[in-house]
Amino acid sequence: TGDSSFDILEPKLPMILEYYPNLIFRATTNNDTVQYFVENHKYAVKQGFKRIFNIVNMFADYTQEQMDILDDQIRQLADYYMELVRQQTPVRFDPLCEFFGRIKVNNENRRLNRRRGRFMNVLGHGKCGIGATAFATVGPTGDLYSCQNFVGNHEIEEKFKIGNIYSGTDDEKRRAIFLKFNPVNVKSTADGIKCSDCELDYICNGGCIAYNYLKTGDIHIMPSIICHYYRCLYREAIRIMNVMADERNELFRNIFKNEVDGSWG
């Protein structure tokens, strides 16, 4: 009808959160909306969400000015996060908070010279999207795919089809798909930037396999904007950790411990 679905949904958010208090606020920041990055997080917190997940649109092309704005917004988000912690308001901003655990893993991997992971002996290296986990997506005809992002793209979906609900899963096809992936081979589309120079080189697991393939045509090649985004988040996570440690903030100490105990490798 041309009406705004958001305007219809917004008044119902209190009721939804009453029944689903752990609901995640999911957002995507586009190249022309980077200036609203922090504002969107604050809106979600004001509405009562306790967990906010925001990712950049990796299919868009970002100018240097837009990337600079994003950098500043991420720093402001870190300041806002610390403000909430000081107020004893535990809110989880993903993927920023995920990096608290990754700090420890990164240091550990570098100390042991264990580049890119503790999952090297796990089939598919524990990655979703390539048929290596317990999850799959059912297409409209009953076909099973390794990721929902491949459904409907007829040029691609056959390469990631792993069975059918009527005939079952094709484990040989699954194995053929996930054996193609090795995090050691992951690299970025960023010009002039070597992965070996990146502070995340020892823990990089390739990001979203499906998005890599859809954007670059290769499951191992990450769009440069996601690399940039993760590096900024990592640096801010370290700053948060240092500031909160200096302040001896007990709430953050518990948050950090929980993130480290469940850390990603």
Side-chain angles (χ1 to χ4, degrees):
T1 63
D3 295 332
S4 168
S5 58
F6 178 80
D7 290 338
I8 297 172
L9 178 63
E10 185 179 28
K12 298 177 174 60
L13 288 177
M15 179 187 68
I16 294 172
L17 288 171
E18 180 181 355
Y19 288 96
Y20 301 97
N22 297 319
L23 194 66
I24 300 174
F25 185 95
R26 174 67 170 82
T28 299
T29 295
N30 201 34
N31 57 347
D32 58 354
T33 62
V34 289
Q35 65 270 32
Y36 305 116
F37 182 79
V38 176
E39 182 179 327
N40 289 337
H41 283 80
K42 290 183 176 180
Y43 171 82
V45 172
K46 183 178 180 180
Q47 294 300 316
F49 286 90
K50 300 300 182 184
R51 185 171 181 182
I52 295 93
F53 182 91
N54 195 309
I55 196 72
V56 291
N57 178 9
M58 58 192 74
F59 296 103
D61 295 321
Y62 294 75
T63 66
Q64 185 60 52
E65 180 183 4
Q66 290 168 337
M67 292 174 68
D68 291 342
I69 293 173
L70 179 62
D71 293 358
D72 181 65
Q73 287 283 303
I74 292 172
R75 188 170 185 84
Q76 289 185 46
L77 181 68
D79 290 336
Y80 177 52
Y81 175 80
M82 288 189 285
E83 178 185 327
L84 291 172
V85 173
R86 293 182 185 113
Q87 295 171 359
Q88 299 297 299
T89 306
V91 177
R92 194 171 198 265
F93 293 152
D94 290 330
L96 172 64
C97 292
E98 295 175 14
F99 280 97
F100 296 142
R102 298 180 191 183
I103 293 169
K104 178 177 182 294
V105 175
N106 196 18
N107 292 338
E108 183 180 83
N109 282 355
R110 288 183 179 278
R111 179 176 62 83
L112 298 175
N113 196 27
R114 183 174 57 193
R115 183 172 181 260
R116 299 197 176 177
R118 299 176 295 179
F119 296 144
M120 299 302 285
N121 295 321
V122 178
L123 291 177
H125 305 278
K127 291 292 291 180
C128 71
I130 51 175
T133 65
F135 301 99
T137 295
V138 183
T141 62
D143 286 330
L144 299 174
Y145 300 91
S146 61
C147 179
Q148 73 273 10
N149 289 291
F150 297 129
V151 179
N153 190 320
H154 301 302
E155 296 181 3
I156 294 176
E157 62 182 13
E158 287 298 319
K159 299 178 181 179
F160 295 92
K161 186 164 70 175
I162 57 175
N164 188 281
I165 59 173
Y166 303 106
S167 58
T169 304
D170 186 337
D171 287 333
E172 289 188 9
K173 184 70 178 294
R174 286 181 64 203
R175 187 178 182 85
I177 294 172
F178 62 64
L179 285 180
K180 294 179 181 179
F181 178 72
N182 188 330
V184 172
N185 297 328
V186 169
K187 58 184 179 180
S188 171
T189 60
D191 294 333
I193 298 178
K194 295 181 180 179
C195 290
S196 58
D197 295 332
C198 176
E199 54 263 65
L200 299 179
D201 185 42
Y202 270 72
I203 58 172
C204 181
N205 72 345
C208 178
I209 298 299
Y211 285 168
N212 290 352
Y213 192 87
L214 292 171
K215 174 66 174 179
T216 70
D218 191 318
I219 60 176
H220 292 103
I221 301 179
M222 298 175 64
S224 60
I225 185 59
I226 200 67
C227 297
H228 181 82
Y229 184 52
Y230 285 162
R231 285 197 300 270
C232 289
L233 292 172
Y234 183 74
R235 293 164 191 163
E236 288 305 312
I238 291 176
R239 184 170 71 89
I240 292 171
M241 181 189 69
N242 289 331
V243 171
M244 293 287 95
D246 289 342
E247 295 180 9
R248 299 184 180 276
N249 187 287
E250 187 66 20
L251 174 58
F252 182 77
R253 189 185 74 84
N254 293 330
I255 291 172
F256 186 81
K257 182 179 184 301
N258 289 334
E259 292 291 342
V260 168
D261 289 345
S263 60
W264 160 104

